[in-house]
Amino acid sequence: MSADVAIARARVEASFARQTVMETIGARLLSVAAGAVEIGLEITPRVSQQHGFVHAGIVATIADSAAGYAGLTLMPEGRGVLTAEFKINLMAPASGDRLVARGRVVKSGRLLTIAQAEVEAIEGDRTRTVALLTATLVAVENRQGVVD
């Protein structure tokens, strides 16, 4: 692993540990690479909506974080990212054993980064895509609390 990837991984891991919403819903950071992050979530009743599927807000939460952290891996030290907007397509009800949100950078720029996250539902050995999120991330510097 290169020094740059190790630094990006450490930044993402430290930031993820401070993002208490991830702890609240039970999400875990699975992998970090340059321009790519995976977040996993075990499906339990506490993340479900009234029909027993994972609530769309939970699906969007892990997708947004996977895309945002993918963008962060390509930012220089001292620069953070915030989501400026996202669009999510919910393609199937999210159910099964667990979800995995795979974020990746489409284009990284000095000010704006475009990222996507695909969310897959896994049940046994069956995997299906349940959501696709596209996000615009804005780079932030010299703003208190936004460096990671």
Side-chain angles (χ1 to χ4, degrees), residues 25-28 39-43 47 54 58 62 97-99:
I25 65 173
R28 296 181 344 267
I39 295 173
L41 176 71
E42 297 299 318
I43 296 176
V47 296
V54 177
I58 300 293
I62 64 170
D97 301 320
R98 67 187 193 280
L99 298 179

Side-chain angles (χ1 to χ4, degrees), residues 15-114:
S15 178
F16 191 87
R18 291 190 308 274
Q19 198 178 89
T20 56
V21 69
M22 292 296 140
E23 181 181 342
T24 298
I25 65 173
R28 296 181 344 267
L29 188 60
L30 300 178
S31 69
V32 179
V37 167
E38 291 185 1
I39 295 173
L41 176 71
E42 297 299 318
I43 296 176
T44 65
R46 73 179 178 167
V47 296
S48 297
Q49 43 86 297
Q50 71 276 16
H51 303 295
F53 303 118
V54 177
H55 192 283
I58 300 293
V59 174
T61 297
I62 64 170
D64 175 45
S65 286
Y69 280 128
L72 181 64
T73 66
L74 301 180
M75 290 292 133
E77 201 162 339
R79 186 178 296 167
V81 295
L82 291 174
T83 301
E85 66 86 28
F86 70 72
K87 185 216 187 291
I88 189 165
N89 290 96
L90 301 164
M91 303 178 329
S95 62
D97 301 320
R98 67 187 193 280
L99 298 179
V100 175
R102 292 184 174 89
R104 70 177 182 87
V105 171
V106 175
K107 170 138 183 6
S108 182
R110 187 182 58 76
L111 180 60
L112 297 178
T113 293
I114 306 302

Side-chain angles (χ1 to χ4, degrees), residues 107-130:
K107 170 138 183 6
S108 182
R110 187 182 58 76
L111 180 60
L112 297 178
T113 293
I114 306 302
Q116 288 187 322
E118 187 172 302
V119 181
E120 293 182 332
I122 301 164
E123 185 167 21
D125 61 354
R126 186 173 160 237
T127 301
R128 63 190 163 80
T129 303
V130 297

